[in-house]
Amino acid sequence: MAIQSINNVNAANVATPTKSANKSSLEANKQPDNLATDADTINISTAEGIKKAVDVGASSAAVVDETRVAEIKAAIQSGTYKIDPDRVAEKMMQLETKIANST
């Protein structure tokens, strides 16, 4: 049995897609160019509105416990910080589960 090179593919063996659609089905699917109605409105945000939204978002962000961060840094520098590998693995698995469920 001979194996034919992909560069020498016979044009008769290659399927070519064909397009067929009648004119009436294309026209039926066409959307009107002007969909605007009297009820349509546009709201443009001002710089003040954007700043207020950013401030609200920043105030609701998670707060960092600076005291706890300082304690951990000191423990790491002194060599007394203990890492629980079981807890790290558990937290990694929780993160993987959240990532898998979010998609």
Side-chain angles (χ1 to χ4, degrees):
M1 175 174 165
I3 298 175
Q4 187 178 11
S5 168
I6 61 170
N7 294 330
N8 287 333
V9 174
N10 185 347
N13 294 336
V14 177
T16 57
T18 59
K19 294 182 182 179
S20 64
N22 60 29
K23 188 175 182 179
S24 62
S25 69
L26 292 175
E27 289 175 359
N29 291 333
K30 186 177 180 184
Q31 297 293 325
D33 292 335
N34 185 1
L35 296 176
T37 65
D38 293 335
D40 291 341
T41 60
I42 296 175
N43 295 324
I44 300 175
S45 299
T46 62
E48 293 170 2
I50 294 171
K51 183 178 182 327
K52 182 179 178 183
V54 169
D55 291 342
V56 168
S59 67
S60 65
V63 178
V64 176
D65 184 357
E66 297 293 333
T67 306
R68 179 72 177 137
V69 171
E71 289 172 359
I72 292 172
K73 282 184 178 182
I76 290 171
Q77 288 176 349
S78 69
T80 60
Y81 185 74
K82 302 290 186 218
I83 298 174
D84 182 2
D86 292 332
R87 184 164 186 254
V88 172
E90 180 182 329
K91 293 294 183 178
M92 289 176 69
M93 292 304 296
Q94 288 175 3
L95 177 62
E96 287 294 324
T97 301
K98 285 182 182 180
I99 291 171
N101 291 337
S102 69
T103 57

